[in-house]
Amino acid sequence: MERLEPKKIHGHTYYYYSKWAWVDGKCRRVWQKYLGKLEDIAKAVEGFGPEPKYAEIFQCGLPAALWKESCTARIVEETNKLCPKRGQGLSPGEYLAIAAINRAISPSSKRSMWDWFSQTVLLRFISGASKAALSSQRFWDHMDRIEGNMTSKIWMNIIKGVVEREDIAMDSISYDGTNFYTFIDTFNIRCNIAKRGKNKQGRNNLRQVSYALFCSSDRHIPLYFDVYEGNRHDCKEFPLILNAFHKFLNKLSGKNYALPGTTLIFDKGNNSKDNFALIDSLKLHFVSSVKVEQYKDLAQVSNNDPVFKSFTDPELEGTKAFRATKKVYGGNRILVVVFNQNLFNLQWLTIQSDIAKCIEKLSLLRQKLEDRANGIIKGGISPTKQSVEKQCKKILSRRYMKDIIKEDINMGTDGIPRLEYAINTESLNDLSNTYLGKNILITNRESWDDGAIIKAYRSQFIIEDVFKEMKDRTSGSWWPVYHWTDSKIKTHGLYCTIALLLRALIRRRLEQSGIKLSMKRILHELDAIREVVNIYLGKGRKKKERKQTVLTKTSELQQKLISVLKIKHD
């Protein structure tokens, strides 16, 4: 039975909403809720309740979704198995999960970790977190427990569980490598990983760290990674990481050989006779590419030759191909010559742009020579035929330019060289009818048709997108990196890869529910979901503050995301 009860306290009448029931043969009050005075009840009925004292706003959607995925992936548990500690304070697994979630949302330094953490709903999920616990010193005290090859063991345990639980398809796996520049001092001898090399972002003046990744074509799931020296060439890294990945596959499959259905996809930068011999010895299936110039007999087949066969698959619109078998890198391989109309259009525009730039520079050089011959330019060192040839070689250094633009340098009677040039239209037409728009793929998948081989190779864009995502200055997971020792850099690589995994799992959930969005859109929509906690003045004798928790207004899409990802808030 429920009733409204008035109580008189110090001459004032207060009302309570209570429930009574028979307990042990007696009518007793089970619970009661304080309603206030009559005027308070009237205001509440009219919609004019007490105003909150203040409000707190927390990041909700993205941290909650990532924490849920980290729990499903057992990040904390698998880390603590290998890095146990006494049951006090945060564990290494919790520190690792916090770092990974931070990298997936808004990467920050360890010094400012608490400033970010305290503004998220993670405060509810990780009760032991505090400003002192999340100081940079405490963080690295725990992360230093992950030493040696512990990072690879932790990752192996995590990803093995994910692959089994999520039933990740292993039929197509892409491999690629990239590098990240650092600001580590040149004379820092405590770091052997950061080396100078050819940086893919043009920062060759800085020491860099290399990063290799195997990624499933099944919704961007990272499977295996390695952090290694920045000056090691991709071709030299390939056999090392391929052997390690082969062992990884064996552990996943529980067998002493690679999964028979697995196809490894990589780019031509890893091609060498020794690498292909290793692939053959490991009995791996693969799809890669070779330089078009290596096989001129195939490249010079006219783009309009009837040997090319088109495809009915909508995904291969504007594509045609034919195959051949040749002895390549020590074995008979299948070569698929592919013509792509979109690639042709892009390369044709690039050729035209390069021609225009070269003509402009050659015209300027010819005019300078004429001005010197006419006495307009008098100072400086007089040009020679050799110096002009050197300048022309530099101007025509872009691909195909030496064949398309023909220059002629003759010495004048005054001892000053003259330059003439012209576009070789025959070479240009021949180029557009043969080399442009072509790729040559290489594989040992004899049973696959040409369309399947082409689509498998094009899935390489997945890992390229992952690298772009990691390097994005607004939403990327790698930067900033303020570490200068090998162990810390490797641990940094571990939680950055876990961040990629958590994002990929969220995307997988959404795609399985029919919601296809880019990663940036997913992050943006989830990040816009905030939790507002209204704090009211306390009532009664204890005067304890009361809290009311609500979400900010959500769109229809955000409501779907909350439902699919099962985001909960108190």
Side-chain angles (χ1 to χ4, degrees), residues 46-66:
E46 294 173 358
F48 299 101
E51 293 184 358
K53 181 180 178 182
Y54 61 91
E56 295 179 329
I57 301 176
F58 298 94
Q59 278 186 310
C60 178
L62 197 48
L66 290 166

Side-chain angles (χ1 to χ4, degrees), residues 67-96:
W67 174 253
K68 187 175 184 302
E69 292 301 339
S70 70
C71 292
T72 304
R74 296 177 55 82
I75 306 297
V76 177
E77 293 83 352
E78 297 298 344
T79 304
N80 291 341
K81 279 182 185 178
L82 296 169
C83 303
K85 64 165 284 185
R86 290 181 297 171
Q88 60 181 32
L90 296 178
S91 67
E94 288 173 314
Y95 278 104
L96 188 64

Side-chain angles (χ1 to χ4, degrees), residues 152-342:
S152 60
K153 290 181 178 179
I154 291 172
W155 175 256
M156 179 66 204
N157 290 349
I158 290 171
I159 198 62
K160 186 174 182 180
V162 169
V163 170
E164 291 174 354
R165 283 189 300 270
E166 303 293 332
D167 192 25
I168 304 298
M170 303 286 285
D171 57 336
S172 181
I173 297 174
S174 297
Y175 164 77
D176 204 354
T178 190
N179 47 50
F180 301 92
Y181 60 81
T182 71
F183 293 98
I184 296 175
D185 187 83
T186 300
F187 303 104
N188 185 327
I189 60 174
R190 297 176 62 190
C191 181
N192 295 316
I193 291 180
K195 304 282 189 180
R196 280 190 172 81
K198 186 177 180 181
N199 185 260
K200 295 187 178 181
Q201 291 181 284
R203 301 300 298 268
N204 298 330
N205 60 317
L206 298 174
R207 294 170 72 176
Q208 65 183 20
V209 174
S210 294
Y211 178 86
L213 181 67
F214 289 87
C215 191
S216 169
S217 298
D218 183 8
R219 299 181 176 90
H220 302 69
I221 303 294
L223 296 174
Y224 188 82
F225 76 97
D226 186 27
V227 178
Y228 59 98
E229 291 81 358
N231 62 348
R232 194 189 304 169
H233 193 275
D234 290 348
C235 195
K236 293 182 179 180
E237 167 65 11
F238 187 71
L240 301 177
I241 196 168
L242 187 59
N243 275 310
F245 180 68
H246 188 257
K247 293 177 182 177
F248 165 81
L249 280 180
N250 291 337
K251 289 181 181 179
L252 283 185
S253 63
K255 301 173 183 177
N256 194 28
Y257 54 86
L259 296 175
T262 300
T263 300
L264 182 63
I265 303 163
F266 55 93
D267 64 25
K268 53 182 169 284
N270 301 293
N271 292 353
S272 74
K273 187 175 181 179
D274 290 341
N275 287 347
F276 274 90
L278 175 61
I279 291 172
D280 293 339
S281 67
L282 296 177
K283 299 180 181 179
L284 278 171
H285 293 295
F286 69 90
V287 176
S288 183
S289 64
V290 294
K291 293 181 179 179
V292 177
E293 292 81 0
Q294 279 184 264
Y295 304 96
K296 294 184 178 180
D297 58 328
L298 297 178
Q300 289 176 352
V301 175
S302 171
N303 295 336
N304 299 316
D305 195 294
V307 72
F308 280 100
K309 304 298 180 185
S310 300
F311 301 94
T312 57
D313 191 330
E315 292 184 32
L316 299 175
E317 184 179 356
T319 302
K320 53 187 180 180
F322 71 91
R323 72 166 60 191
T325 302
K326 283 182 174 291
K327 190 168 184 178
V328 182
Y329 296 117
N332 290 324
R333 321 282 183 187
I334 296 171
L335 297 179
V336 179
V337 184
V338 184
F339 173 80
N340 185 337
Q341 185 62 48
N342 292 332

Side-chain angles (χ1 to χ4, degrees), residues 102 177 234 243 321 409 523:
N102 172 260
D234 290 348
N243 275 310
I409 304 170
L523 296 176

Side-chain angles (χ1 to χ4, degrees), residues 239-496:
L240 301 177
I241 196 168
L242 187 59
N243 275 310
F245 180 68
H246 188 257
K247 293 177 182 177
F248 165 81
L249 280 180
N250 291 337
K251 289 181 181 179
L252 283 185
S253 63
K255 301 173 183 177
N256 194 28
Y257 54 86
L259 296 175
T262 300
T263 300
L264 182 63
I265 303 163
F266 55 93
D267 64 25
K268 53 182 169 284
N270 301 293
N271 292 353
S272 74
K273 187 175 181 179
D274 290 341
N275 287 347
F276 274 90
L278 175 61
I279 291 172
D280 293 339
S281 67
L282 296 177
K283 299 180 181 179
L284 278 171
H285 293 295
F286 69 90
V287 176
S288 183
S289 64
V290 294
K291 293 181 179 179
V292 177
E293 292 81 0
Q294 279 184 264
Y295 304 96
K296 294 184 178 180
D297 58 328
L298 297 178
Q300 289 176 352
V301 175
S302 171
N303 295 336
N304 299 316
D305 195 294
V307 72
F308 280 100
K309 304 298 180 185
S310 300
F311 301 94
T312 57
D313 191 330
E315 292 184 32
L316 299 175
E317 184 179 356
T319 302
K320 53 187 180 180
F322 71 91
R323 72 166 60 191
T325 302
K326 283 182 174 291
K327 190 168 184 178
V328 182
Y329 296 117
N332 290 324
R333 321 282 183 187
I334 296 171
L335 297 179
V336 179
V337 184
V338 184
F339 173 80
N340 185 337
Q341 185 62 48
N342 292 332
L343 177 62
F344 174 88
N345 295 341
L346 182 62
Q347 289 181 338
W348 178 255
L349 291 175
T350 302
I351 290 291
Q352 295 300 319
S353 175
D354 289 345
I355 290 173
K357 291 177 182 178
C358 290
I359 292 296
E360 182 180 0
K361 291 178 181 179
L362 289 173
S363 175
L364 182 61
L365 176 59
R366 182 175 64 178
Q367 187 61 50
K368 285 183 178 179
L369 295 173
E370 291 294 334
D371 289 346
R372 181 170 289 276
N374 294 328
I376 298 175
I377 298 177
K378 298 179 181 179
I381 300 173
S382 181
T384 63
K385 187 175 182 180
Q386 289 75 18
S387 67
V388 175
E389 287 175 347
K390 186 176 180 180
Q391 292 182 68
C392 289
K393 184 178 179 180
K394 184 178 180 180
I395 291 172
L396 300 176
S397 61
R398 291 283 291 177
R399 192 181 185 189
Y400 301 128
M401 290 300 104
K402 287 185 293 183
D403 298 324
I404 295 174
I405 301 177
K406 297 298 182 181
E407 80 279 8
D408 185 22
I409 304 170
N410 296 304
M411 295 298 296
T413 55
D414 51 6
I416 297 174
R418 303 292 197 278
L419 172 65
E420 297 294 334
Y421 56 87
I423 295 176
N424 188 332
T425 55
E426 184 178 344
S427 294
L428 181 59
N429 292 335
D430 182 62
L431 178 68
S432 66
N433 192 38
T434 53
Y435 284 86
L436 295 191
K438 278 194 177 76
N439 279 325
I440 300 180
L441 309 184
I442 181 173
T443 183
N444 58 359
R445 278 291 191 182
E446 297 180 7
S447 60
W448 284 12
D449 61 35
D450 294 347
I453 294 170
I454 294 169
K455 287 198 287 186
Y457 184 75
R458 288 184 180 179
S459 67
Q460 183 74 3
F461 81 89
I462 289 175
I463 203 164
E464 292 171 357
D465 283 353
V466 170
F467 287 157
K468 287 179 183 178
E469 177 187 325
M470 292 183 75
K471 294 184 178 184
D472 192 300
R473 281 296 185 175
T474 57
S475 60
S477 59
W478 186 269
W479 280 300
V481 50
Y482 300 122
H483 314 308
W484 55 90
T485 63
D486 292 349
S487 62
K488 285 182 170 61
I489 291 174
K490 287 189 174 182
T491 304
H492 179 87
L494 173 61
Y495 57 67
C496 286

